[in-house]
Amino acid sequence: MGEGWQAGGVIMLPLLGLSVLAVAGIGERVCFWLAIYAQESQVVGRILLSAREDLWGALQAAQLGRNLPAVRVLTAPLLLETPTPELFHLALKHGAERELIGMQRGDRLLEWVMVMAPLLGMIGSVLGLMAAAQETTSLEAKGLMTALTSTIFGLGIATVTVAFYKIFQALQTDQWRLIHLSSNELELIYRQYWQRIHP
């Protein structure tokens, strides 16, 4: 690795920094999504089942999952005191938008790494090609090695980061779908409840 590191030239230091940022961002997002998917669908199902029998009893069913995004969305309107259907809907909508922002945390860092790593790798390529052009025949190979090493390192960082970024985007879409569907179902349950008590 030491030889490859030296062959990559000065661009390897910022590329190393980007790879550390990417690993940290990916690690944080992996932990976030694993914690959610481990229990969320079961807790959401219990909340909706409880809501059909006792709307306010659904709050008790939500206690086990109050750290989960979809559960926080579903419980937001239940914490209001006898809300109108419009207020109930608004609380669901506001909660869903707030959770979406939280799910996107870390995306900007990953996007930044995906853009910067290949660019830095290409800068290394240019520097290596420039060094090769200025040197004698025996040093041409060294310059080309610098170009190729930094390029492959930068592209490697970007490729891994893009893969995880796309996985996280898919998880966000799935999460948004769950929040949207369960919010709509809970709102329908509440509207039926509202019509029973306000004929």
Side-chain angles (χ1 to χ4, degrees), residues 8 11 14 28 32 61 81-82 86 124 126 129 142 148 154 161 165 186 190 197:
I11 292 298
E28 188 275 332
F32 174 80
E81 187 175 323
T82 319
E86 291 76 24
V126 171
L129 290 171
K142 184 178 178 185
L148 295 174
T161 305
Y165 177 76
L186 184 61
Y190 185 74
I197 63 170

Side-chain angles (χ1 to χ4, degrees), residues 112-135:
W112 187 75
V113 170
M114 289 185 300
V115 169
M116 293 302 296
L119 294 175
L120 287 171
M122 288 182 219
I123 290 170
S125 297
V126 171
L127 291 174
L129 290 171
M130 289 171 60
Q134 293 176 353
E135 301 295 329

Side-chain angles (χ1 to χ4, degrees), residues 11 13 22 24 35 41 43-44 48 53 66-67 71 75 91 96 115 121 146 168 173-174 180 185:
I11 292 298
L13 189 58
S41 60
V43 175
V44 167
L48 293 174
E53 297 172 15
R66 62 180 172 252
N67 61 332
V71 173
T75 57
V115 169
T146 299
F168 298 146
T173 301
D174 289 348
H180 182 70
E185 188 172 340

Side-chain angles (χ1 to χ4, degrees), residues 114-192:
M114 289 185 300
V115 169
M116 293 302 296
L119 294 175
L120 287 171
M122 288 182 219
I123 290 170
S125 297
V126 171
L127 291 174
L129 290 171
M130 289 171 60
Q134 293 176 353
E135 301 295 329
T136 63
T137 310
S138 63
L139 295 177
E140 284 178 355
K142 184 178 178 185
L144 290 174
M145 189 61 176
T146 299
L148 295 174
T149 301
S150 62
T151 300
I152 198 70
F153 195 82
L155 292 173
I157 293 168
T159 301
V160 170
T161 305
V162 166
F164 277 99
Y165 177 76
K166 287 303 194 180
I167 290 169
F168 298 146
Q169 290 293 306
L171 292 171
Q172 285 176 16
T173 301
D174 289 348
Q175 186 66 198
W176 183 249
R177 188 176 298 121
L178 173 68
I179 288 172
H180 182 70
L181 293 174
S182 58
S183 295
N184 287 344
E185 188 172 340
L186 184 61
E187 185 177 358
L188 289 173
I189 292 168
Y190 185 74
R191 286 185 183 268
Q192 291 171 347

Side-chain angles (χ1 to χ4, degrees), residues 14-91:
L15 286 172
L16 175 64
L18 286 177
S19 66
V20 169
L21 286 174
V23 168
I26 289 168
E28 188 275 332
R29 293 284 80 193
V30 165
C31 292
F32 174 80
W33 288 109
L34 285 176
I36 288 174
Y37 273 91
Q39 57 180 330
E40 190 169 55
S41 60
Q42 291 176 347
V43 175
V44 167
R46 280 197 305 264
I47 291 170
L48 293 174
L49 186 63
S50 295
R52 284 185 185 91
E53 297 172 15
D54 175 17
L55 192 60
W56 308 116
L59 278 173
Q60 290 179 343
Q63 290 305 311
L64 291 175
R66 62 180 172 252
N67 61 332
L68 302 170
V71 173
R72 286 191 298 263
V73 171
L74 295 178
T75 57
L78 297 175
L79 296 171
L80 301 173
E81 187 175 323
T82 319
T84 64
E86 291 76 24
L87 187 58
F88 195 91
H89 174 77
L90 186 61

